[in-house]
Structures are given as C-alpha cells and as structure tokens.
Amino acid sequence: MEKMTPNGSSLDSTLNAVKHQQQQKWKVLGGVALVGMLLVIGAYFSIESSEVIPKLTSNELSQVQQASEVTQAKRQQLQEKLLALQNALDTVQADEAMSKWAAKRIDSVSAGLQGAYANYAQGQFAGLSDKLEALLDDVQQIAKDYQSTLESTYQAGVIAFKKMEYDAARGCLNKYFKSTQATLMLKIY
C-alpha cells in the first residue's frame, strides 16, 4: 500500500519527483562542466597555435617587404625584356626577305619567346632573364648575319662588274636589290 502525504499524493511519487529533479540538476551541472572543459581546452589550443605562428620583428617585416618589392621589380624587368624581345622579333619578321632567309632561326626564337611567356605566366622566374637576353641576342645576330650576307652579295656584284662579268654582276645585284627592296619599302612606309 502506498502511503499518503498530507496533501494527498503518494510518498513514492513525491520521492520520484525529487529524484527526477536531482537527476536534472546533475545533467545540467554535467553539461555546464563539459562546456567549461571544452572552452578551457579550446583556449589552450588557441594559445598554443598562436605561439606556433611566428611574430615578425620590425626588421624581419622590413625584409619581407623588401623581398616583395624585389619580386615586383624583377617582374617589371622581365616584362620589359619580354616586350623588347617581342618588338625585335616583330621587326625581323616584318622584313619579308629576312624572314624567308632565316625562317628556321626566327621560328626557333619565336618558340623560345612563347616558352618564356609561359614561364612568366607560371611564375617560373629562375633563369628567365638570361633566357630572354639569349633570345634577344639571337634576334640581333639574325639581323647582323642578314645584313652581312646582303653586303657580301652587293660586294660580289660590284667585283663581278669590275671584272666585266656582267651576268654574274647582274645576278648578284638582282639578288641584293630583291632582298633590300622589302627592307626599303618598310623604311618608306
């Protein structure tokens, strides 16, 4: 038999209600304790991770900024060399006779220029400056070799003319004038 309390409820139900309230308190206290522990652990790892990130001194920060400026200056220098090479190559290719005379060499330089553009775009700057200078030297050498060939052809025509070898002189001079005609036309326009 259940015992009745003065207000008419049973003792067992009252004890169960009290027990239930105590369990709820322990659950709440356990939850608060768990959250507190998680906050302490989180704060600990936050402090630990912030100690892993090095704090730069003003001198080190200055060095990082200088390195960034050097990189920007190097990019600017490479851009100028790329543009100079492109302009030199365009000039050589615009001379139709020279372009035909040195087609393979010009194609080689053009392929090298395309590779240099790709290296620049991918941020592969190591050795790129030297590569661009070598390609620019190649373009300048093509122009010098072409000019030298023209001059030697002209001189051979003059010598043949002086020896009264008119057919040979005409052949050399025709070759010379055909080669220079494209160059002269470019200079006129």
Side-chain angles (χ1 to χ4, degrees), residues 69-79 120 125-127:
E69 290 170 5
V70 167
T71 302
Q72 187 61 27
K74 184 169 184 130
R75 284 176 161 257
Q76 182 65 32
Q77 179 189 31
L78 290 172
Q79 289 172 359
Y120 180 84
F125 302 139

Side-chain angles (χ1 to χ4, degrees), residues 61-75:
L61 184 59
S62 174
Q63 289 174 349
V64 169
Q65 289 171 339
Q66 287 174 349
S68 175
E69 290 170 5
V70 167
T71 302
Q72 187 61 27
K74 184 169 184 130
R75 284 176 161 257

